[in-house]
Amino acid sequence: MSGRNTPVTPRFFVDENTLPLGKALAAVRGDVVFPGHRHTCIRRGDLDDAWLPIVGEAALLLITRDRRIRYRLIEKRLLRDYSVKGLFLTQAGHMNMWEILKMVMRNWEQIDALAGVPGPWAKSLTRVGINDLKLPD
């Protein structure tokens, strides 16, 4: 973990739709950012098409509950064009933040390893683990 004066090198970006998760992870890890975090230019309220290129160019692993990103025409193109690595919390809509945090932490070693895998790719995280998702054409 980085000290207060150590430069932060983000590896993970947690989407605003799961902001409490992003804040919890950032509180204990120096490599997690979220919209409004002091180590990212992405602000709260920024639209997906504004921040997806930033996440992709920085080779951050995106953690989000927004499954629709993979299907909206512009976002789908940005996922591919900017080689975004996306981890979609596909069951999270039926879970509270505590359950989501527990699910993420149970799988953190795999998630951490995925941060080094070049994109574009999409995976789902559910209570049973991580699985590949197809990026629609």
Side-chain angles (χ1 to χ4, degrees):
M1 173 133 78
S2 32
R4 203 173 269 264
N5 296 322
T6 305
V8 173
T9 303
R11 296 175 60 225
F12 303 93
F13 176 80
V14 180
D15 192 356
E16 187 169 355
N17 61 26
T18 316
L19 194 58
L21 174 66
K23 289 181 176 185
L25 292 172
V28 295
R29 295 189 57 93
D31 58 357
V32 177
V33 295
F34 50 84
H37 188 280
R38 63 189 178 114
H39 292 292
T40 184
C41 63
I42 301 167
R43 298 176 314 263
R44 289 187 67 184
D46 282 353
L47 299 177
D48 296 350
D49 60 344
W51 60 258
L52 278 168
I54 296 166
V55 167
E57 287 178 345
L60 302 177
L61 190 159
L62 165 64
I63 300 173
T64 184
R65 289 190 301 178
D66 189 353
R67 292 179 299 168
R68 294 174 297 168
I69 286 176
R70 295 184 307 124
Y71 298 102
R72 290 186 208 117
L73 185 60
I74 292 171
E75 286 95 332
K76 182 171 61 171
R77 189 187 84 240
L78 292 172
L79 285 172
R80 289 191 185 279
D81 290 353
Y82 288 92
S83 298
V84 175
K85 305 178 283 191
L87 182 65
F88 294 85
L89 309 177
T90 54
Q91 289 182 342
H94 306 291
M95 302 168 78
N96 63 41
M97 278 300 151
W98 176 244
E99 292 170 323
I100 293 170
L101 178 60
K102 289 191 313 185
M103 179 177 69
V104 167
M105 295 317 303
R106 263 193 315 272
N107 293 279
W108 190 258
E109 285 186 29
Q110 283 182 278
I111 295 168
D112 193 49
L114 287 172
V117 177
W121 51 257
K123 298 196 181 285
S124 69
L125 174 60
T126 66
R127 288 184 171 112
V128 295
I130 297 174
N131 295 294
D132 291 329
L133 288 175
K134 183 179 183 317
L135 281 174
D137 297 324

